[in-house]
Amino acid sequence: MNQSVPLFRKILAVTDFSDCARTGLDQAVQLGKLTGAEVTLAHVVPLTQETMEGMAANPWYAAANVEEIEERLRHGADERLKAELTPYQDSGVALHVKTLWGVPFVEIIHAVQEEGYDLTVVGTRGRSPISRFLVGSTATRLVRKCPCPVWIAKPHDGRPLRSILAPIDYSEASQKSLRMAAALAAEAEGLLHVLHVYNDDRELQMLALVTDEESSERRKLMHRHAVEGLEQFVEQMQLPVRPTLHVERGETWKRVVAASRRLDADLTVMGTVGRGGVSGLMIGNTAEKVMHVEEGPLLAVKPEGFVSPVPPRSKLRHALRD
């Protein structure tokens, strides 16, 4: 796609060395090839009671100072990270490694804030002894709090992005997610499907007070208005690809998952902080529900101007000095 600003410049792929994390790395490298972005593979050495107790039982750690411990742990992790990147050395993508130390989701967000990554890729369903740090809690916290888009990697067959699904609710977040989905579809020369789910509960309650014939006509009118609204919205967006439009009624997360499976989507791209006039669509945990049920990758996108509730490390240091 011809665009003045690359879709992604710097991608941060997070690993716990599980098979699912390797799937995430593979997807990150594929995105690097597609967009020209460089990829940094990062591992967070977690600070947990179990970790600290294990080090305390080791004579070397018991005698070492904090700087020596961090250097030893980082060196070991860096070497392991470099080994993970070995299969991709001839990919044509600029590859880097980074070892972090602390609470996983906090350190990942700090890395994004400090290094300017514009995409974070994280795996779920890890199987390593510390996989709990990248299963559920960390992925969910990143979807909620990471300032850049978060790609939730799921096991797949490695195929390219042939079909992308973009659910929207007309909020700022879904406008941004739709533009990103369209840009990815254009880069990959794939199909773009745009889905809008409506469910006017108040109107449906009113239908119970009218005849079956009137109810049927009102339902048709509601659907036609929804279709027309989606057509106007997409036309105003001036997307780089021509999408296929889908309008459905029901519970949003269920309709999104069903549409993804029906359309055999390789990626679902959706906003995570909805502020549109139709409540309950992308607001709250809809993206999280999809994340936990969806079989394929999910790209969660924040609206413009989103500020992470995790303060930058520089502010934390300043607060401690004060």
Side-chain angles (χ1 to χ4, degrees):
M1 184 182 77
N2 294 325
Q3 54 181 24
S4 56
V5 179
L7 182 56
F8 302 122
R9 291 191 180 94
K10 299 177 66 175
I11 298 174
L12 180 67
V14 184
T15 184
D16 64 350
F17 304 109
S18 66
D19 289 340
C20 191
R22 292 186 181 96
T23 298
L25 172 59
D26 186 67
Q27 293 173 15
V29 174
Q30 287 189 38
L31 285 170
K33 291 180 182 178
L34 189 66
T35 64
E38 60 184 63
V39 174
T40 297
L41 181 62
H43 172 65
V44 183
V45 179
L47 284 176
T48 66
Q49 183 175 353
E50 182 180 354
T51 303
M52 301 304 291
E53 289 176 352
M55 290 191 297
N58 185 309
W60 185 90
Y61 287 108
N65 58 40
V66 174
E67 290 75 15
E68 291 172 333
I69 292 173
E70 287 191 16
E71 176 61 27
R72 181 167 180 169
L73 291 173
R74 283 198 168 95
H75 176 76
D78 282 352
E79 292 304 308
R80 197 172 179 186
L81 288 170
K82 291 175 183 177
E84 292 285 308
L85 290 177
T86 299
Y88 304 100
Q89 292 302 324
D90 297 328
S91 65
V93 176
L95 303 172
H96 314 280
V97 299
K98 178 181 286 291
T99 297
L100 306 170
W101 172 278
V103 179
F105 87 94
V106 173
E107 293 307 315
I108 293 166
I109 291 175
H110 282 164
V112 170
Q113 293 168 334
E114 294 169 1
E115 304 295 334
Y117 297 104
D118 41 29
L119 178 68
T120 298
V121 179
V122 61
T124 59
R125 300 177 187 173
R127 293 293 184 268
S128 76
I130 62 169
S131 63
R132 61 185 177 276
F133 292 104
L134 292 183
V135 178
S137 61
T138 292
T140 299
R141 286 168 175 167
L142 289 175
V143 166
R144 294 174 181 174
K145 301 177 180 182
C146 188
C148 73
V150 177
W151 181 294
I152 306 298
K154 301 288 184 72
H156 71 2
D157 57 9
R159 66 189 186 187
L161 297 176
R162 303 173 304 184
S163 177
I164 297 175
L165 174 64
I168 66 166
D169 67 348
Y170 307 127
S171 65
E172 292 180 10
S174 66
Q175 289 182 48
K176 184 176 178 181
S177 65
L178 177 55
R179 292 192 187 280
M180 187 165 291
L184 279 168
E187 291 277 12
E189 299 182 351
L191 301 176
L192 175 63
H193 297 274
V194 180
L195 169 68
H196 175 63
V197 181
Y198 69 95
N199 188 354
D200 193 329
D201 292 332
R202 181 178 299 179
E203 179 70 17
L204 294 177
Q205 291 173 2
M206 293 295 295
L207 296 182
L209 305 178
V210 299
T211 65
D212 290 343
E213 182 177 354
E214 291 174 321
S215 175
S216 177
E217 289 302 315
R218 289 193 183 185
R219 288 179 183 273
K220 291 179 181 178
L221 182 62
M222 288 170 58
H223 187 79
R224 185 163 66 250
H225 285 169
V227 171
E228 292 173 352
L230 180 59
E231 291 174 343
Q232 293 174 5
F233 176 79
V234 171
E235 183 178 355
Q236 292 172 357
M237 293 287 289
Q238 297 183 335
L239 303 175
V241 295
R242 185 176 183 85
T244 300
L245 306 184
H246 307 267
V247 175
E248 299 184 14
R249 181 174 63 85
E251 191 171 356
T252 304
W253 75 270
K254 292 181 179 180
R255 294 295 91 211
V256 170
V257 172
S260 175
R261 293 173 180 173
R262 183 179 69 252
L263 298 169
D264 195 23
D266 299 305
L267 174 68
T268 299
V269 185
M270 60 191 301
T272 59
V273 185
R275 291 193 175 89
V278 183
S279 63
L281 298 190
M282 300 300 161
I283 297 175
N285 62 357
T286 299
E288 294 172 25
K289 288 181 179 179
V290 173
M291 176 182 72
H292 291 300
V293 177
E294 178 56 68
E295 297 176 352
L298 170 72
L299 178 56
V301 182
K302 305 293 194 310
E304 293 291 345
F306 174 83
V307 177
S308 174
V310 176
R313 201 188 316 268
S314 59
K315 288 189 176 181
L316 290 175
R317 289 171 178 165
H318 182 74
L320 288 174
R321 285 198 302 269
D322 292 344

